Amino acid sequence: MYRGPALLTALLALGLYYLPLFRPVEYPWPPEQDFLLLIMVGAVLGVWLIPEIGSRLSGVEPRPEALVFRAPFFALRISYRRIRNTRPTVFSELFPQIPRRHRRWVEPFYDHAVLVIETAGYPLPARWIRWLLGPYVCLPQGTGFVCLVSDWMALSRAIDYYREAVRGASPRGS
């Protein structure tokens, strides 16, 4: 939501910094503090760049040892022993009421199929997971995760494959 305004603010601050090269300008601050404009440009570009990079680094990755939910600065590992069931559903059925402030970025995939991964529990408190990975990652009712991926069937097959491999590797009778 903030990428456009952040980029515009950074360009305007950069323009203010370089404006004295083209015409004389009297700023309301001393010239020694012009570097603060560059610091502001860096901070605002960070607001633009972190979500830009983060959207490319985030995702769900089935690995042989665990299912991994990746975010730019955080990875959550879910043991396959913790997974009880997987099932497809539609995002709008899970979250029928979307807050007005979220609608703009949720609407593009509101009617898409998602994979629900029901688990025996969360490795962290659910509120922490929602804060770190987003408000629509945890199931609203029950315990589990909601995965919006381009190919939910491939993800489901990979999870089932690794769950069977873990079940086959575990000692019998324990």
Side-chain angles (χ1 to χ4, degrees), residues 80-130:
Y80 290 112
R81 295 181 197 281
R82 191 180 291 252
I83 297 174
R84 289 187 173 167
N85 186 26
T86 60
R87 62 180 166 86
T89 189
V90 178
F91 186 88
S92 60
E93 291 177 8
L94 293 173
F95 302 99
Q97 300 296 323
I98 300 293
R100 186 176 210 78
R101 66 184 183 275
H102 293 180
R103 283 192 185 142
R104 191 163 123 211
W105 57 275
V106 171
E107 278 181 351
F109 54 83
Y110 193 65
D111 291 325
H112 286 195
V114 294
L115 183 66
V116 171
I117 302 170
E118 296 173 354
T119 60
Y122 292 120
L124 294 171
R127 62 180 151 70
W128 289 12
I129 295 171
R130 285 185 183 100

Coordinates of all heavy atoms in Angstrom, one line a residue, residues 80-130:
Y80 N 6.3 -32.3 9.8 CA 5.2 -33.1 9.2 C 4.4 -33.9 10.2 O 3.3 -34.3 9.9 CB 5.8 -33.9 8.1 CG 6.3 -33.1 6.9 CD1 7.7 -33.0 6.6 CD2 5.4 -32.4 6.1 CE1 8.1 -32.2 5.6 CE2 5.9 -31.6 5.1 CZ 7.2 -31.6 4.8 OH 7.6 -30.8 3.7
R81 N 5.0 -34.2 11.3 CA 4.3 -35.0 12.3 C 3.1 -34.1 12.9 O 2.2 -34.7 13.4 CB 5.2 -35.4 13.4 CG 6.3 -36.4 13.0 CD 7.2 -36.8 14.2 NE 8.4 -37.4 13.8 CZ 8.5 -38.6 13.4 NH1 7.5 -39.4 13.4 NH2 9.7 -39.1 13.0
R82 N 3.3 -32.8 12.9 CA 2.3 -31.9 13.4 C 1.1 -31.8 12.5 O 0.0 -31.4 12.9 CB 2.9 -30.6 13.6 CG 2.1 -29.6 14.4 CD 2.9 -28.3 14.6 NE 4.1 -28.5 15.5 CZ 4.2 -28.0 16.7 NH1 3.2 -27.3 17.2 NH2 5.2 -28.2 17.4
I83 N 1.3 -32.0 11.2 CA 0.2 -31.9 10.2 C -0.8 -33.0 10.2 O -0.4 -34.2 10.2 CB 0.8 -31.8 8.7 CG1 1.7 -30.5 8.6 CG2 -0.3 -31.7 7.7 CD1 2.4 -30.4 7.3
R84 N -2.1 -32.7 10.4 CA -3.1 -33.7 10.5 C -3.8 -33.9 9.2 O -4.1 -35.0 8.8 CB -4.2 -33.2 11.5 CG -3.7 -33.3 12.9 CD -4.8 -33.0 13.9 NE -4.4 -33.2 15.2 CZ -5.0 -32.8 16.3 NH1 -6.2 -32.2 16.1 NH2 -4.5 -33.0 17.5
N85 N -4.0 -32.8 8.4 CA -4.8 -33.0 7.2 C -4.6 -31.8 6.3 O -4.2 -30.7 6.8 CB -6.3 -33.0 7.6 CG -7.2 -33.2 6.4 OD1 -6.8 -33.9 5.5 ND2 -8.5 -32.8 6.6
T86 N -4.8 -32.0 5.0 CA -4.7 -30.9 4.0 C -6.0 -30.9 3.2 O -6.5 -32.0 2.9 CB -3.5 -30.9 3.1 OG1 -3.5 -32.1 2.4 CG2 -2.2 -30.8 3.9
R87 N -6.5 -29.8 2.9 CA -7.7 -29.7 2.1 C -7.8 -28.4 1.3 O -7.4 -27.4 1.8 CB -9.0 -29.9 2.9 CG -9.2 -28.8 3.9 CD -10.4 -29.1 4.8 NE -10.4 -28.2 5.9 CZ -10.9 -27.0 6.0 NH1 -11.4 -26.4 4.9 NH2 -10.9 -26.2 7.1
P88 N -8.3 -28.5 0.1 CA -8.5 -27.2 -0.6 C -9.8 -26.5 -0.3 O -10.8 -27.2 0.1 CB -8.5 -27.6 -2.1 CG -9.1 -29.0 -2.0 CD -8.6 -29.6 -0.7
T89 N -9.8 -25.2 -0.4 CA -11.1 -24.5 -0.2 C -10.9 -23.1 -0.9 O -9.9 -22.9 -1.5 CB -11.4 -24.3 1.3 OG1 -12.7 -23.7 1.4 CG2 -10.4 -23.4 2.0
V90 N -11.8 -22.2 -0.7 CA -11.8 -20.9 -1.4 C -11.5 -19.9 -0.3 O -12.1 -20.0 0.8 CB -13.1 -20.6 -2.1 CG1 -13.0 -19.2 -2.7 CG2 -13.3 -21.6 -3.2
F91 N -10.6 -19.0 -0.6 CA -10.2 -17.9 0.4 C -11.4 -17.2 1.0 O -11.5 -17.0 2.2 CB -9.3 -16.9 -0.2 CG -8.7 -15.9 0.7 CD1 -7.5 -16.2 1.4 CD2 -9.3 -14.7 0.9 CE1 -7.0 -15.3 2.2 CE2 -8.8 -13.8 1.8 CZ -7.6 -14.1 2.5
S92 N -12.4 -16.9 0.2 CA -13.6 -16.1 0.7 C -14.4 -16.9 1.6 O -15.2 -16.4 2.4 CB -14.4 -15.7 -0.5 OG -14.9 -16.7 -1.3
E93 N -14.4 -18.3 1.6 CA -15.1 -19.1 2.5 C -14.5 -19.0 3.9 O -15.2 -19.1 4.9 CB -15.2 -20.5 2.0 CG -16.1 -20.7 0.8 CD -16.1 -22.1 0.3 OE1 -15.6 -23.0 0.9 OE2 -16.7 -22.3 -0.8
L94 N -13.2 -18.9 3.9 CA -12.5 -18.9 5.2 C -12.6 -17.5 5.9 O -12.7 -17.4 7.1 CB -11.0 -19.2 5.0 CG -10.7 -20.7 4.6 CD1 -9.2 -20.8 4.3 CD2 -11.1 -21.6 5.8
F95 N -12.5 -16.5 5.0 CA -12.5 -15.1 5.5 C -13.6 -14.3 4.8 O -13.3 -13.5 3.9 CB -11.1 -14.4 5.3 CG -10.0 -15.1 5.9 CD1 -9.2 -16.0 5.1 CD2 -9.7 -15.0 7.2 CE1 -8.1 -16.7 5.7 CE2 -8.6 -15.6 7.8 CZ -7.8 -16.5 7.0
P96 N -14.9 -14.5 5.3 CA -16.0 -13.8 4.6 C -16.0 -12.3 4.9 O -16.4 -11.6 4.0 CB -17.2 -14.5 5.1 CG -16.8 -15.2 6.4 CD -15.3 -15.5 6.3
Q97 N -15.5 -11.9 6.0 CA -15.5 -10.5 6.4 C -14.0 -10.0 6.4 O -13.3 -10.4 7.2 CB -16.1 -10.3 7.8 CG -17.5 -10.8 7.9 CD -18.5 -9.9 7.0 OE1 -18.3 -8.8 6.9 NE2 -19.5 -10.6 6.5
I98 N -13.7 -9.2 5.4 CA -12.4 -8.6 5.3 C -12.5 -7.1 5.8 O -13.3 -6.4 5.3 CB -11.8 -8.6 3.9 CG1 -11.8 -10.1 3.4 CG2 -10.5 -8.0 3.8 CD1 -10.8 -10.9 4.1
P99 N -11.6 -6.7 6.7 CA -11.6 -5.3 7.1 C -11.4 -4.4 5.9 O -10.7 -4.7 5.0 CB -10.5 -5.2 8.1 CG -10.2 -6.6 8.6 CD -10.6 -7.5 7.4
R100 N -12.0 -3.2 6.0 CA -11.9 -2.3 4.9 C -10.5 -1.9 4.5 O -10.1 -1.8 3.3 CB -12.7 -1.0 5.2 CG -12.8 0.0 4.1 CD -13.7 1.2 4.6 NE -14.5 1.8 3.5 CZ -15.6 1.3 3.0 NH1 -16.1 0.2 3.4 NH2 -16.2 1.9 2.0
R101 N -9.6 -1.8 5.5 CA -8.2 -1.4 5.2 C -7.4 -2.5 4.5 O -6.4 -2.2 3.9 CB -7.5 -1.0 6.5 CG -7.4 -2.2 7.5 CD -6.8 -1.7 8.8 NE -6.5 -2.8 9.7 CZ -7.4 -3.3 10.5 NH1 -8.6 -2.8 10.6 NH2 -7.1 -4.3 11.3
H102 N -7.9 -3.8 4.5 CA -7.2 -4.9 3.9 C -7.8 -5.2 2.5 O -7.2 -5.9 1.7 CB -7.3 -6.1 4.7 CG -6.6 -6.0 6.0 ND1 -6.5 -7.1 6.9 CD2 -5.8 -5.1 6.5 CE1 -5.8 -6.8 7.9 NE2 -5.4 -5.5 7.7
R103 N -9.0 -4.7 2.2 CA -9.7 -5.1 0.9 C -8.8 -4.8 -0.3 O -8.8 -5.7 -1.2 CB -11.0 -4.4 0.8 CG -12.0 -5.0 1.7 CD -13.4 -4.5 1.5 NE -14.3 -5.0 2.5 CZ -15.3 -4.4 3.0 NH1 -15.6 -3.2 2.6 NH2 -16.0 -4.9 3.9
R104 N -8.1 -3.7 -0.4 CA -7.4 -3.4 -1.6 C -6.3 -4.4 -1.9 O -6.2 -4.8 -3.1 CB -6.7 -2.0 -1.4 CG -6.2 -1.5 -2.6 CD -5.9 0.0 -2.5 NE -4.5 0.2 -2.8 CZ -3.8 1.2 -2.3 NH1 -4.3 2.0 -1.4 NH2 -2.6 1.3 -2.6
W105 N -5.7 -5.0 -1.0 CA -4.7 -6.0 -1.3 C -5.1 -7.4 -1.2 O -4.5 -8.4 -1.6 CB -3.4 -5.8 -0.5 CG -3.4 -5.7 1.0 CD1 -3.7 -4.7 1.8 CD2 -3.2 -6.8 1.9 NE1 -3.7 -5.0 3.1 CE2 -3.3 -6.3 3.2 CE3 -2.8 -8.2 1.7 CZ2 -3.1 -7.1 4.3 CZ3 -2.6 -8.9 2.8 CH2 -2.8 -8.4 4.1
V106 N -6.4 -7.7 -0.6 CA -6.9 -9.0 -0.5 C -7.8 -9.3 -1.7 O -7.9 -10.5 -2.2 CB -7.7 -9.2 0.8 CG1 -8.4 -10.5 0.8 CG2 -6.7 -9.1 2.0
E107 N -8.5 -8.3 -2.3 CA -9.5 -8.6 -3.3 C -9.0 -9.3 -4.5 O -9.7 -10.1 -5.1 CB -10.1 -7.2 -3.7 CG -11.2 -6.8 -2.8 CD -11.9 -5.5 -3.2 OE1 -11.4 -4.8 -4.1 OE2 -12.9 -5.2 -2.6
P108 N -7.7 -9.1 -5.0 CA -7.3 -9.8 -6.2 C -7.3 -11.3 -6.1 O -7.4 -12.0 -7.1 CB -5.8 -9.3 -6.4 CG -5.8 -8.0 -5.7 CD -6.7 -8.0 -4.6
F109 N -7.2 -11.8 -4.9 CA -7.2 -13.3 -4.7 C -8.3 -13.8 -3.8 O -8.3 -14.9 -3.3 CB -5.9 -13.8 -4.2 CG -5.4 -13.2 -3.0 CD1 -5.8 -13.6 -1.7 CD2 -4.4 -12.1 -3.0 CE1 -5.3 -13.0 -0.6 CE2 -3.9 -11.6 -1.9 CZ -4.4 -12.0 -0.7
Y110 N -9.3 -12.9 -3.6 CA -10.4 -13.3 -2.7 C -11.2 -14.5 -3.1 O -11.6 -15.3 -2.3 CB -11.4 -12.1 -2.6 CG -12.3 -12.2 -1.5 CD1 -11.9 -12.2 -0.1 CD2 -13.7 -12.3 -1.7 CE1 -12.8 -12.2 0.9 CE2 -14.6 -12.4 -0.6 CZ -14.1 -12.3 0.7 OH -15.0 -12.4 1.7
D111 N -11.3 -14.8 -4.4 CA -12.1 -16.0 -4.9 C -11.1 -17.1 -5.3 O -11.6 -18.0 -6.0 CB -13.0 -15.6 -6.0 CG -14.2 -14.7 -5.5 OD1 -14.6 -14.9 -4.4 OD2 -14.6 -13.8 -6.2
H112 N -9.9 -17.0 -5.0 CA -8.9 -18.1 -5.4 C -9.0 -19.3 -4.5 O -9.3 -19.1 -3.3 CB -7.5 -17.5 -5.5 CG -7.3 -16.6 -6.6 ND1 -6.0 -16.3 -7.0 CD2 -8.1 -16.0 -7.5 CE1 -6.1 -15.5 -8.1 NE2 -7.4 -15.3 -8.4
A113 N -8.5 -20.4 -5.0 CA -8.4 -21.6 -4.2 C -7.2 -21.5 -3.3 O -6.1 -21.0 -3.7 CB -8.3 -22.8 -5.1
V114 N -7.3 -22.0 -2.1 CA -6.2 -22.0 -1.1 C -6.1 -23.5 -0.6 O -7.1 -24.2 -0.6 CB -6.4 -21.0 0.0 CG1 -6.3 -19.6 -0.5 CG2 -7.6 -21.3 0.8
L115 N -4.9 -23.8 -0.1 CA -4.7 -25.1 0.6 C -4.7 -24.8 2.1 O -4.0 -24.0 2.6 CB -3.4 -25.7 0.2 CG -3.2 -27.1 0.8 CD1 -4.2 -28.1 0.2 CD2 -1.8 -27.6 0.5
V116 N -5.6 -25.5 2.8 CA -5.7 -25.4 4.3 C -4.9 -26.6 4.8 O -5.1 -27.7 4.4 CB -7.2 -25.5 4.8 CG1 -7.2 -25.6 6.3 CG2 -7.9 -24.2 4.3
I117 N -4.0 -26.3 5.7 CA -3.2 -27.3 6.4 C -3.5 -27.3 7.8 O -3.2 -26.4 8.6 CB -1.7 -27.0 6.2 CG1 -1.3 -26.9 4.7 CG2 -0.8 -28.0 6.9 CD1 0.1 -26.3 4.4
E118 N -4.3 -28.3 8.2 CA -4.7 -28.4 9.6 C -3.6 -29.1 10.4 O -3.0 -30.1 10.0 CB -6.0 -29.2 9.7 CG -7.2 -28.6 9.0 CD -8.4 -29.4 9.0 OE1 -8.3 -30.6 9.3 OE2 -9.4 -28.9 8.5
T119 N -3.3 -28.5 11.6 CA -2.2 -29.0 12.4 C -2.6 -29.3 13.8 O -3.7 -28.9 14.2 CB -1.0 -27.9 12.4 OG1 -1.5 -26.7 13.0 CG2 -0.5 -27.7 11.1
A120 N -1.8 -30.0 14.5 CA -2.0 -30.4 15.9 C -1.8 -29.2 16.8 O -2.2 -29.2 18.0 CB -1.2 -31.6 16.3
G121 N -1.1 -28.2 16.4 CA -0.8 -27.0 17.2 C 0.1 -26.1 16.4 O 0.6 -26.4 15.3
Y122 N 0.3 -25.0 17.0 CA 1.2 -24.0 16.4 C 2.6 -24.0 17.1 O 2.6 -24.2 18.3 CB 0.7 -22.6 16.5 CG -0.5 -22.3 15.7 CD1 -1.7 -21.9 16.3 CD2 -0.5 -22.4 14.3 CE1 -2.9 -21.6 15.5 CE2 -1.6 -22.1 13.5 CZ -2.8 -21.7 14.1 OH -3.9 -21.5 13.4
P123 N 3.7 -23.8 16.4 CA 5.0 -23.8 17.1 C 5.2 -22.5 17.9 O 6.1 -22.5 18.7 CB 6.0 -23.9 15.9 CG 5.3 -23.5 14.7 CD 3.8 -23.8 14.9
L124 N 4.4 -21.5 17.5 CA 4.5 -20.2 18.2 C 3.0 -19.8 18.5 O 2.1 -20.3 17.9 CB 5.1 -19.1 17.3 CG 6.6 -19.2 17.0 CD1 6.9 -18.2 15.9 CD2 7.4 -19.0 18.2
P125 N 2.8 -18.8 19.4 CA 1.4 -18.3 19.6 C 0.9 -17.8 18.2 O 1.6 -17.2 17.5 CB 1.6 -17.2 20.6 CG 2.8 -17.6 21.4 CD 3.7 -18.2 20.4
A126 N -0.4 -18.1 18.0 CA -1.0 -17.7 16.7 C -0.9 -16.2 16.5 O -0.7 -15.7 15.3 CB -2.5 -18.1 16.7
R127 N -1.0 -15.4 17.5 CA -0.9 -13.9 17.3 C 0.5 -13.5 16.8 O 0.6 -12.6 16.0 CB -1.4 -13.1 18.5 CG -0.5 -13.3 19.7 CD -1.1 -12.5 20.9 NE -0.9 -13.1 22.2 CZ 0.3 -13.1 22.8 NH1 1.3 -12.7 22.2 NH2 0.4 -13.6 24.0
W128 N 1.5 -14.2 17.2 CA 2.9 -13.9 16.7 C 3.0 -14.3 15.3 O 3.6 -13.6 14.5 CB 3.9 -14.7 17.6 CG 4.1 -14.2 19.0 CD1 3.3 -13.3 19.7 CD2 5.1 -14.6 19.8 NE1 3.8 -13.1 20.9 CE2 4.9 -13.9 21.1 CE3 6.2 -15.4 19.7 CZ2 5.8 -14.0 22.1 CZ3 7.1 -15.6 20.8 CH2 6.8 -14.9 22.0
I129 N 2.4 -15.5 14.9 CA 2.5 -15.9 13.5 C 1.8 -14.9 12.6 O 2.3 -14.6 11.6 CB 1.9 -17.3 13.4 CG1 2.8 -18.3 14.2 CG2 1.8 -17.7 11.9 CD1 2.2 -19.7 14.3
R130 N 0.6 -14.5 13.1 CA -0.1 -13.5 12.3 C 0.6 -12.2 12.1 O 0.6 -11.5 11.1 CB -1.5 -13.2 12.9 CG -2.5 -14.3 12.7 CD -3.9 -13.9 13.2 NE -4.8 -15.0 13.1 CZ -5.1 -15.9 14.0 NH1 -4.6 -15.8 15.2 NH2 -5.9 -16.9 13.8

